Amino acid sequence: MLLEALIDEAGVSRAGLAAHVNRAGRTRGLGLRYEHTAVARWLKGQRPRGEVPDLICEVLGNRLHRAVSLDDIGMAAPDGHVPVQGSSLTGFVERATTVWRSDAQQRPHVVAAPAVTGTTAVMPVWEWENPPEDADVSRTGPTRVGAADIATLRAARDHYELMYRKAGGIATRSRVVGFLNAETAPLLRGGYSDTTGRLLHRATGALVAVAGICAYDSDAHGLAQRYFHQALRLAKASGDRGLGGYVIALLVNQSLFLAEYRQSVAFAEAALRAAGREITPALAADLHAMQAKAYARLGDRAGALTCIGRAESEAARIRPGREPDETGYVQPGLVDVQVAEALLSLGDLAAAREHAVAAVGTPAHDRGRVHRLAMLTTIELRQGEADRAAATATEMADRTRGMESQRLRDRLRTVREELVASGSADAERAAERVEGALRVPL
């Protein structure tokens, strides 16, 4: 909601806004007696009568030290209709930057919000996939945005992604969000041509996606989802369909974690369909592999095996150096571990182990290697090879040192429980090693 975002940014309560509007009204000879309940109705879409919408703009504009229009507060239409997310890029930027500030300030209504479901979860994907497109994203502003600014955003994305891989999302998130607030928000409010604006929105979208990944890794799923939706809107403004497909892959991954399996399949289909020729082999391989996991969870063996075949076919087409930076996470072995997980869900332990062994045997950054070792440990335990699983789990535990990640902790806890349940002395010792890795609080 546009108005709620601006109220939050202005740092005023609902009762405070009502009081300010009443005082502003008195300067125009109006006897207004609004209270916080009236503001609550405005937030639900009710448009106050007469000059009151203009007074709201005046009050908020004075507090924010910039002009605020009726469109900015969602009251441009006389019937009180609030514009949809995609209708005003300027309004979107204001809402997005408000979320960044709220995250930096650890405001509970943003940080602890649950993930949305149903139509609310689907609409951002639908809006990305369908017209209207942004005809012109140019903007006038106090500072001129140039190529050096965009290069800085790109470098920041690479920097924070590497930090996430090494240290985890909990440690990295505050750094990304701090950069968004201090460096990125002023650029979005600056001046730029349509061409530069599209590059700016693309670079910002890629950086916001990293913030979403860090929020997901911190177990802040509602916040992560908001960041992913923001990144998708920015991708649309950039005109880069490949970036949009990458962001949807992040939503697919989150949907899998939240057990929204049919949504995972549908989102992946949307990305593959709408990105078209701009989708790369790496991204296509990841989307098909995640679809395979969703189908396997749904018990659809034929669907899972079909997607496994497609994932492996696309993976064979990956050419290093020809992929955008964002899809660098699709390293050799990633599709193998995804396929292993799908096959494990289908109960095909022998085939799952073959893929898991291949994944572990392929070089990867520490974070990816932890997940691969965890998968292999689980499969080895299911096959009754507790001693071998103990050795695999011990390496997994050692690899997690220095990482602050809720997702990795979840994985370690699951493996520890499986080791203990095996009844093996070696597995028991490995479980104690995993417990040691979990002992330090995040």
Side-chain angles (χ1 to χ4, degrees):
M1 152 65 82
L2 296 171
L3 178 58
E4 184 176 20
L6 288 175
I7 291 173
D8 191 32
E9 181 185 354
V12 63
S13 66
R14 296 181 182 184
L17 177 62
H20 283 300
V21 169
N22 292 341
R23 283 196 292 271
R26 283 197 291 272
T27 65
R28 301 191 188 187
L30 302 175
L32 304 177
R33 291 185 172 83
Y34 285 116
E35 296 180 346
H36 68 92
T37 53
V39 179
R41 291 194 296 272
W42 301 343
L43 293 174
K44 292 179 180 178
Q46 183 185 90
R47 187 180 195 273
R49 297 178 180 179
E51 300 177 46
V52 176
D54 292 317
L55 292 173
I56 296 171
C57 291
E58 178 184 319
V59 168
L60 293 174
N62 288 338
R63 292 187 67 89
L64 296 170
H65 306 291
R66 67 172 186 270
V68 173
S69 69
L70 292 176
D71 184 61
D72 292 335
I73 65 171
M75 293 186 184
D79 62 357
H81 174 69
V82 179
V84 297
Q85 178 178 339
S87 63
S88 168
L89 187 56
T90 299
F92 161 76
V93 167
E94 296 308 321
R95 287 196 308 278
T97 53
T98 297
V99 171
W100 305 347
R101 278 190 300 277
S102 296
D103 186 9
Q105 295 164 2
Q106 289 292 289
R107 296 195 176 186
H109 73 282
V110 170
V111 176
V116 298
T117 59
T119 303
T120 309
V122 172
M123 278 304 293
V125 177
W126 185 90
E127 289 178 347
W128 168 76
E129 188 178 2
N130 292 281
E133 306 299 330
D134 292 287
D136 185 356
V137 300
S138 62
R139 177 172 175 150
T140 56
T143 57
R144 198 69 184 167
V145 178
D149 298 308
I150 294 167
T152 298
L153 294 183
R154 290 171 175 165
R157 191 216 73 86
D158 294 345
H159 174 77
Y160 292 123
E161 182 186 58
L162 184 59
M163 184 183 295
Y164 158 76
R165 289 180 175 179
K166 290 183 175 180
I170 294 175
T172 307
R173 186 173 120 216
S174 63
R175 301 287 295 275
V176 183
V177 173
F179 184 90
L180 287 171
N181 278 296
E183 306 296 335
T184 313
L187 294 178
L188 289 175
R189 295 195 183 103
Y192 37 84
S193 66
D194 178 63
T195 299
T196 300
R198 293 189 186 280
L199 296 174
L200 172 63
H201 285 87
R202 193 207 183 285
T204 302
L207 187 60
V208 168
V210 175
I213 292 168
C214 292
Y216 167 83
D217 201 43
S218 306
D219 229 11
H221 286 287
L223 179 60
Q225 191 181 51
R226 292 183 76 169
Y227 278 130
F228 294 150
H229 290 168
Q230 288 179 9
L232 199 55
R233 180 66 184 91
L234 289 160
K236 182 156 189 168
S238 76
D240 189 324
R241 284 280 168 182
L243 177 63
Y246 158 73
V247 175
I248 292 184
L250 299 176
L251 285 167
V252 172
N253 184 62
Q254 184 183 37
S255 296
L256 281 170
F257 178 81
L258 297 175
E260 296 281 353
Y261 302 124
R262 295 193 185 282
Q263 180 172 283
S264 299
V265 172
F267 280 1
E269 286 292 344
L272 291 163
R273 176 177 60 247
R277 294 181 178 179
E278 292 187 43
I279 201 162
T280 64
L283 182 55
D286 190 38
L287 287 165
H288 285 306
M290 288 191 290
Q291 275 189 314
K293 292 198 295 185
Y295 277 126
R297 289 288 187 174
L298 291 167
D300 185 343
R301 186 178 186 85
L305 293 177
T306 296
C307 288
I308 286 173
R310 291 171 179 167
E312 292 177 334
S313 177
E314 291 290 348
R317 297 176 54 234
I318 297 174
R319 296 292 180 269
R322 297 185 182 180
E323 291 279 336
D325 293 339
E326 291 80 23
T327 55
Y329 70 95
V330 188
Q331 297 182 332
L334 175 71
V335 171
D336 274 311
V337 76
Q338 300 266 45
V339 169
E341 186 174 344
L343 292 169
L344 182 62
S345 295
L346 293 174
D348 193 342
L349 292 178
R353 179 170 183 165
E354 182 181 344
H355 283 278
V357 168
V360 169
T362 306
H365 55 76
D366 281 348
R367 182 185 182 85
R369 188 160 185 80
V370 168
H371 282 295
R372 297 177 189 193
L373 290 166
M375 176 57 58
L376 182 56
T377 300
T378 296
I379 295 170
E380 288 171 339
L381 286 170
R382 297 275 181 90
Q383 290 186 312
E385 298 185 15
D387 294 346
R388 189 184 295 272
T392 306
T394 298
E395 182 185 350
M396 175 199 69
D398 291 345
R399 290 275 181 174
T400 62
R401 291 176 182 174
M403 294 186 190
E404 294 188 0
S405 163
Q406 193 60 52
R407 293 286 71 75
L408 288 184
R409 289 212 155 202
D410 291 344
R411 202 72 186 262
L412 262 62
R413 288 191 183 97
T414 299
V415 171
R416 180 190 59 188
E417 292 170 2
E418 293 171 341
L419 289 166
V420 171
S422 73
S424 160
D426 285 344
E428 181 67 33
R429 285 190 289 272
E432 291 174 2
R433 189 72 161 266
V434 174
E435 177 60 34
L438 291 168
R439 195 166 288 125
V440 179
L442 294 178

